[in-house]
Amino acid sequence: MTAATHSTLFPRVPDSADAVLEGLDPEQRAVATALHGPVCVLAGAGTGKTRAITHRIAYGVRAGILQPSSVLAVTFTNRAAGEMRGRLRQLGAVGVQARTFHSAALRQLQYFWPKAVGGPLPRLVDRKIQLVADAAAACRIRLDRGELRDVTAEIEWSKVTQTVPADYTAATAKAGRETPRDPAEIAQLYAAYEDLKRERSVIDFEDVLLLTVAVLQDRHDIAEQVRAQYQHFVVDEYQDVSPLQQRLLELWLGDRENLCVVGDASQTIYSFTGATPDHLLDFRVRHPGATVVKLVRDYRSTPQVVRLANGLLAQAKGRAADHRLELVSQRPAGPEPVFTEYTDEPAEAEGAARRIRELIGSGVPASEIAVLFRTNSQSETYEQALADAGVPYQLRGAERFFDRPEVRNAITALRAAARFGGNDALLDDAPDLPSQVRAVLSGKGWTPQPPAGSGAVRESWESLAALAHLAQDFAAANAGATLADLVVELDERAGAQHAPTVQGVTLASLHAAKGLEWDVVFLVGVAEGMMPITYAKTDEQIEEERRLLYVGVTRAREHLHLSWALARSPGGRANRRPSRFLTGLRPGSQAVAGRARAAGAGAVERGSWTAAATAVPEQAPRRRQHTPARCRVCGRTLTDGGEMKLMRCEDCPSDMDEGLYERLREWRGEQARRSGQPAFCVFTDKTLIAIAEAVPDDEHELARIPGVGMRKLRRYGADVLALCAGRDPADGQDQD
């Protein structure tokens, strides 16, 4: 796993301000030298935006134009903030604050709370789920685990969009937001949740921003004190700013305009959390005199990958599409993207694992390969396939590197060896830093050869191997470096969350892959129903799914594999088709009329086509003639989607098995918890009602219920049929 434009080497600090500018292209240099007034950087994927803005800050500091303590750089993740701090340190810009919005706000809130309000700041709760559960109990509303997560997410969205409980119902209707429960009920839960927080004197993550905004709005003396401290602001990933974060930024700025924002509307993929690209797209309206720099030189991906990425956006619609950037690859030509069709999902996973094993055998490091999917629930199939193929892997989004027990223990051992190494027999035959590190790590479980298989033992070994590789790079870049020097480097990296590379194939969702890059990327499950996801209904939601695929494509430096399966399980009905987003881009598909291209953009070129050994030749799907859906009770023609799922009118009598419905709801909640997705993504309430009314006896009957489908039939069919038969799906035993 490699962070975008990240290097494991340790470059020397530039010896002057002008040296900071060396190696920048003309547009990056324009960013770095634009140190006054509002600046908007429209930066496409792989164009070196982080390089441009860190060199901008470093150049200003090294030239004496910016005071380090007066600069605040904000971004959205601790990893990104840590990477920025690490780069600034390497460029000699020590003392610049690089933080997330929340950590910067929390620091200010802790400092000013006694003066603004009095007394200590209320306790910050790490997880709000228990509070939501208590609020539901107070409202006498029953929520399973999945529904608790769904309601919690709705509360978070409300707060970042500055929506109070009384306005929640109207706000969701205006936003076209699909809610997991009745909006009035969620508004009631939201109000009860806020009451509980006040009673218990606690605040949550979103309150940190809300309270900081309140303090800065109400206390002009405190606002002026903050503005005196910070006079220059840089905001990365500006397309992901929420209305609440934008308000905080405006209060930090006051009436000044020393602001540099960086973003790409085509990479807006978090609107479900309240993020909006409108602030980026409207920047020149709010700041008419702004300097605008477009970064379109793509240093990450080959021309073949870039053409596919540009082709995806050429068919996009909406406001973000109107401001898309046409990337121009700066790399030599590489292989064409590969499109592969499989008969079923297991065959797709096995095919990817087989190709990955071949790539590793040919010399491609496992850490430079990624498998990216739309939902976390897809991970399990690929974990199994890679384990069966003997390929090491790691899950992106798991425990942070420096928080792993084996890493903490290893650093403790290295620190002890640095202090008392002269009395350690382990180091007697270790003449240089890398061999000393290997000697210490050997006492913690590291061996020259990796252990067989996968699992916790292999993951622990991979962590220790990453430390060994880091020591090798550090020694090569710092002649005469000692163990003590390495320990200092590790401490600084831990503080910045600047992790070394772990040697294993990365498995990650497309959302988790944002900001990362690999030599080889496998985009799997690129089929209708998964990309775009089934619950993306509106034009805006569909376009966000397109942007999500664009983000996935632009993670690849050289090799890009896209695949899909015609059926979920072996022998299943081959009723799936490739994603609509690939139409006109994959061989054998008919081109569609795209939007006018940006100046200088080339035509879309088709990639190479491979068919898996088990694949079915692609044929244009024939549309079957469907008879109108009719109510099974009164015979009226149905047009409402919910009524069509029930196969009856809403007001027609129901013969639902209430006990079965409750068991299905409990089971659905557990499935949602395991897969980390909202409960309604497993089955909607309407589908559960339809199942409880039909009480199917076999897979054929279950598959006929609208909302089930082959994918869900394969994943959940056995469990649902067991519940319908009165058995526990966990052990197949009859229920009492």
Side-chain angles (χ1 to χ4, degrees):
M1 179 174 60
T2 308
T5 62
H6 167 65
S7 170
T8 56
L9 299 178
F10 298 82
R12 297 187 183 280
V13 174
D15 56 13
S16 67
D18 288 340
V20 172
L21 301 178
E22 292 177 3
L24 299 181
D25 68 30
E27 294 80 21
Q28 291 172 342
R29 182 180 286 257
V31 173
T33 54
L35 296 174
H36 299 290
V39 178
C40 179
V41 183
L42 301 175
T47 57
K49 68 177 180 63
T50 306
R51 177 180 174 83
I53 58 175
T54 52
H55 281 69
R56 177 184 187 271
I57 295 170
Y59 176 71
V61 169
R62 299 292 298 277
I65 300 171
L66 303 179
Q67 293 300 314
S69 60
S70 72
V71 179
L72 178 60
V74 289
T75 188
F76 286 83
T77 66
N78 288 319
R79 180 192 60 78
E83 182 187 353
M84 191 176 290
R85 287 194 296 269
R87 291 195 186 201
L88 290 170
R89 177 165 55 90
Q90 291 171 354
L91 292 170
V94 180
V96 174
Q97 292 292 317
R99 297 179 175 274
T100 65
F101 271 100
H102 284 86
S103 66
L106 180 60
R107 193 166 183 240
Q108 293 174 16
L109 197 60
Q110 290 171 329
Y111 183 81
F112 290 112
W113 186 266
K115 178 179 179 180
V117 181
L121 181 69
R123 180 174 61 87
L124 178 63
V125 293
D126 295 330
R127 298 175 71 251
K128 57 174 69 72
I129 283 233
Q130 186 55 55
L131 271 172
V132 176
D134 293 346
C139 295
R140 299 188 177 184
I141 296 175
R142 181 181 176 185
L143 299 177
D144 61 28
R145 292 177 182 176
E147 290 170 322
L148 275 173
R149 282 197 304 273
D150 294 343
V151 171
T152 300
E154 288 303 300
I155 291 174
E156 290 171 351
W157 174 83
S158 301
K159 300 184 79 163
V160 301
T161 56
Q162 298 177 281
T163 301
V164 297
D167 296 337
Y168 173 80
T169 301
T172 55
K174 182 179 179 181
R177 188 174 180 84
E178 185 175 347
T179 59
R181 293 180 72 95
D182 180 75
E185 195 172 58
I186 294 178
Q188 181 186 3
L189 289 166
Y190 179 15
Y193 169 82
E194 291 297 308
D195 290 340
L196 271 180
K197 284 198 293 107
R198 283 189 288 272
E199 290 173 11
R200 299 179 184 181
S201 297
V202 297
I203 60 175
D204 63 23
F205 202 53
E206 290 72 37
D207 288 333
V208 171
L209 299 185
L210 285 164
L211 290 172
T212 305
V213 165
V215 168
L216 295 179
Q217 284 181 160
D218 295 345
R219 292 291 300 267
H220 297 293
D221 57 330
I222 292 177
E224 289 305 316
Q225 193 173 342
V226 171
R227 291 166 192 161
Q229 170 70 48
Y230 296 116
Q231 299 172 27
H232 300 271
F233 297 86
V234 177
V235 184
D236 194 11
E237 304 289 2
Y238 193 55
Q239 77 277 354
D240 291 331
V241 165
S242 70
L244 180 56
Q245 290 164 331
Q246 175 65 22
R247 180 60 185 142
L248 177 59
L249 179 62
E250 291 167 354
L251 288 166
W252 282 340
L253 274 168
D255 57 2
R256 301 165 301 173
E257 291 201 315
N258 285 327
L259 170 65
C260 175
V261 301
V262 190
D264 178 10
S266 296
Q267 296 188 69
T268 304
I269 58 174
Y270 296 108
S271 66
F272 61 91
T273 66
T276 171
D278 289 346
H279 305 300
L280 175 67
L281 299 177
D282 293 337
F283 189 82
R284 283 168 286 185
V285 175
R286 296 194 312 275
H287 304 278
T291 299
V292 179
V293 183
K294 294 182 180 180
L295 303 183
V296 297
R297 301 175 196 247
D298 188 322
Y299 297 96
R300 176 188 302 160
S301 304
T302 63
Q304 288 75 12
V305 173
V306 167
R307 276 199 294 269
L308 180 59
N310 285 337
L312 276 171
L313 293 188
Q315 301 174 13
K317 303 174 183 177
R319 193 175 181 218
D322 291 336
H323 294 79
R324 74 191 188 284
L325 300 169
E326 187 87 12
L327 300 177
V328 181
S329 176
Q330 306 298 300
R331 293 194 57 184
E336 293 287 344
V338 176
F339 300 84
T340 310
E341 185 174 272
Y342 293 90
T343 53
D344 52 66
E345 287 185 2
E348 184 180 8
E350 290 163 9
R354 184 168 56 249
R355 181 62 184 133
I356 288 169
R357 186 172 58 187
E358 293 170 356
L359 287 166
I360 293 173
S362 69
V364 178
S367 60
E368 289 297 347
I369 303 173
V371 179
L372 307 181
F373 32 75
R374 176 60 180 85
T375 66
N376 288 321
S377 61
Q378 295 170 269
S379 173
E380 184 179 355
T381 304
Y382 290 88
E383 291 178 54
Q384 187 61 55
L386 291 174
D388 291 345
V391 175
Y393 66 86
Q394 60 170 329
L395 291 172
R396 173 69 183 164
E399 190 175 29
R400 294 193 296 187
F401 181 83
F402 288 103
D403 292 338
R404 298 175 187 174
E406 66 271 17
V407 173
R408 292 201 303 267
N409 291 338
I411 293 177
T412 299
L414 289 169
R415 182 174 288 108
R419 290 180 181 174
F420 311 111
N423 300 320
D424 193 337
L426 272 176
L427 305 183
D428 289 346
D429 298 322
D432 55 22
L433 176 59
S435 59
Q436 291 170 2
V437 171
R438 289 193 294 268
V440 173
L441 296 181
S442 66
K444 296 298 178 182
W446 178 84
T447 56
Q449 296 299 321
S454 58
V457 173
R458 179 60 183 256
E459 290 178 6
S460 177
W461 184 91
E462 296 287 359
S463 298
L464 298 179
L467 291 175
H469 285 297
L470 180 69
Q472 190 81 35
D473 286 345
F474 186 73
N478 300 274
T482 65
L483 264 178
D485 296 328
L486 178 63
V487 168
V488 171
E489 174 68 24
L490 289 172
D491 287 342
E492 291 178 345
R493 280 175 167 255
Q497 285 299 327
H498 185 186
T501 302
V502 175
Q503 299 300 312
V505 173
T506 299
L507 295 176
S509 70
L510 287 165
H511 284 100
K514 178 76 167 62
L516 303 174
E517 63 185 52
W518 298 266
D519 284 345
V520 185
V521 168
F522 287 78
L523 287 174
V524 299
V526 191
E528 284 293 306
M530 193 60 71
M531 181 59 67
I533 201 76
T534 51
Y535 51 79
K537 304 295 185 185
T538 66
D539 289 344
E540 291 81 5
Q541 291 168 339
I542 296 295
E543 287 306 313
E544 181 148 340
E545 292 288 299
R546 185 193 303 276
R547 295 193 295 269
L548 190 56
L549 182 58
Y550 172 80
V551 166
V553 167
T554 55
R555 300 310 95 195
R557 296 194 192 102
E558 187 171 2
H559 297 275
L560 178 62
H561 298 255
L562 301 97
S563 63
W564 58 91
L566 295 174
R568 176 160 192 178
S569 57
R573 186 169 53 187
N575 60 350
R576 294 181 177 178
R577 56 191 176 91
S579 169
R580 71 189 74 173
F581 300 144
L582 300 182
T583 301
L585 303 178
R586 59 182 178 85
S589 63
Q590 184 177 358
V592 295
R595 299 169 65 87
R597 299 184 185 281
V604 175
E605 296 186 16
R606 293 173 176 164
S608 60
W609 167 265
T610 65
T614 56
V616 175
E618 183 185 38
Q619 297 178 347
R622 294 183 178 179
R623 292 189 175 274
R624 292 183 293 176
Q625 295 294 321
H626 291 281
T627 57
R630 297 187 182 277
C631 174
R632 55 188 169 83
V633 180
C634 70
R636 182 178 67 85
T637 299
L638 303 176
T639 56
D640 178 75
E643 291 184 341
M644 291 172 70
K645 280 192 174 183
L646 293 175
M647 291 304 292
R648 65 170 174 81
C649 304
E650 284 278 8
D651 53 358
C652 279
S654 168
D655 54 355
M656 182 178 71
D657 183 332
E658 296 283 353
L660 173 58
Y661 177 66
E662 288 303 316
R663 294 196 298 274
L664 286 167
R665 280 175 55 84
E666 291 176 3
W667 166 85
R668 180 183 65 173
E670 180 62 20
Q671 294 300 317
R673 183 190 65 77
R674 291 177 180 176
S675 61
Q677 61 182 343
F680 60 88
C681 293
V682 179
F683 285 122
T684 64
D685 285 345
K686 286 288 196 302
T687 300
L688 292 188
I689 292 171
I691 293 171
E693 289 182 347
V695 194
D697 292 325
D698 54 35
E699 287 191 353
H700 178 69
E701 292 182 5
L702 179 58
R704 293 176 61 186
I705 295 174
V708 176
M710 291 305 298
R711 182 171 63 86
K712 292 188 177 182
L713 181 67
R714 180 188 170 199
R715 183 170 182 81
Y716 304 124
D719 282 7
V720 171
L721 290 172
L723 288 165
C724 289
R727 297 192 303 272
D728 185 343
D731 55 20
Q733 299 300 311
D734 289 343
Q735 297 178 349
D736 293 332

